[in-house]
Amino acid sequence: MQLPRQGPGGDAETRIALGMCSLGTDARLHVADLSCGTGATALLLAETLNAEITAVDSFSEFLDELMRNAKSKSLAHKIRPVQAPLDALPFEENSLDLIWAEDSVFTIGFEAGIGAWKPFLRPGGYLVVSDITWLSVKRPAALTAFWKEAYPEAGLPSAKMRVLEKHGFCPVGYFPLPEHCWTDNYHHPLQQAFEAFLNRNGNSGAAQAIVGNVQAEISFYNQYKSWYSYGMYVARKLV
């Protein structure tokens, strides 16, 4: 399914997180957008910053769509697409001013990702990363059990901050993604794409199973949205 976003998020929230980063405006910045998808955030970063954006994703189809959109916005000269997995990034040490990773670190784990990506940042560089975050100390047991199995590093903001500090980062800010980042920006476009997706795939059993799984994820969020979301974390590398 071709979608503007491959996970919860929003332009306004990207700008809030970016505003927490004290990035210089004189020198050209070097920025990496990890698991960029079709490029909603990469395009906004390119529009906003004096920077070269290296947009990394495992899927060439997403990168192709990103570059088509970049060309239509006259931003292609600021974006370099790279096909690579998150655990084998093609960057030199101390080469990046900003690493941006939305909806992606769970694929390798929060602490593993923080540790693996830190060397690529220059001292004083910034990391913006989102991860599944509890909104309350107390929550339904079924929700805790689900995420314990699906992603054991789902946790409170304080726990994420401690991991950042442990790995030599100074936490700068945090905020949870609001509901519209899930519903208006992600779930509703998904649901609107279901019919076309099923038609393209001959309404096959496999296609129906995919749609059923996505619908189940949406229902799960609607049931438990008071207790969890993605948290946006902004941190500065100390040394």
Side-chain angles (χ1 to χ4, degrees):
M1 293 181 232
Q2 291 296 323
L3 299 165
R5 289 184 176 275
Q6 285 67 56
D11 288 354
E13 290 68 30
T14 295
R15 291 190 178 94
I16 291 171
L18 188 58
M20 296 179 183
C21 303
S22 297
L23 298 167
T25 57
D26 296 331
R28 189 171 175 84
L29 300 170
H30 295 277
V31 177
D33 181 9
L34 307 184
S35 287
C36 62
T38 54
T41 297
L43 292 169
L44 191 151
L45 294 174
E47 289 174 348
T48 306
L49 299 174
N50 174 24
E52 176 187 79
I53 314 296
T54 301
V56 181
D57 204 277
S58 297
F59 297 101
S60 60
E61 296 87 351
F62 288 164
L63 295 173
D64 292 343
E65 179 69 15
L66 162 60
M67 295 313 297
R68 284 193 290 270
N69 292 333
K71 288 175 183 176
S72 72
K73 295 175 179 289
S74 299
L75 293 170
H77 65 290
K78 299 181 71 174
I79 299 175
R80 181 171 68 99
V82 172
Q83 186 175 3
L86 290 181
D87 57 357
L89 297 174
F91 300 114
E92 296 182 2
E93 289 191 6
N94 302 319
S95 64
L96 298 174
D97 299 288
L98 171 65
I99 291 176
W100 201 284
E102 287 190 60
D103 311 329
S104 59
V105 72
F106 71 90
T107 60
I108 60 175
F110 187 80
E111 184 157 11
I114 299 305
W117 302 338
K118 179 190 174 184
F120 303 131
L121 280 172
R122 65 168 179 80
Y126 284 83
L127 171 68
V128 178
V129 59
S130 68
D131 202 26
I132 292 294
T133 297
W134 302 132
L135 302 180
S136 171
V137 173
K138 295 182 178 180
R139 54 196 171 269
L143 175 64
T144 301
F146 172 84
W147 281 113
K148 184 177 181 179
E149 180 176 352
Y151 181 55
E153 289 186 86
L156 290 165
S158 55
K160 307 289 185 184
M161 296 292 191
R162 285 195 296 271
V163 172
L164 289 165
E165 290 170 337
K166 172 184 173 182
H167 286 274
F169 284 90
C170 173
V172 173
Y174 152 80
F175 62 92
L177 289 185
E179 183 178 342
H180 72 261
C181 287
W182 294 76
T183 55
D184 298 347
N185 297 353
Y186 182 49
H187 290 164
H188 293 170
L190 264 176
Q191 291 170 315
Q192 291 168 0
F194 284 162
E195 183 176 358
F197 172 76
L198 290 170
N199 289 337
R200 283 198 308 273
N201 290 277
N203 205 34
S204 67
Q208 291 182 37
I210 290 172
V211 169
N213 288 337
V214 175
Q215 287 281 38
E217 291 177 9
I218 293 172
S219 297
F220 184 88
Y221 172 76
N222 289 335
Q223 182 177 1
Y224 293 113
K225 61 189 176 184
S226 296
W227 291 281
Y228 81 98
S229 185
Y230 271 104
M232 293 288 290
Y233 298 87
V234 180
R236 179 171 54 86
K237 178 180 173 180
L238 295 175
V239 293

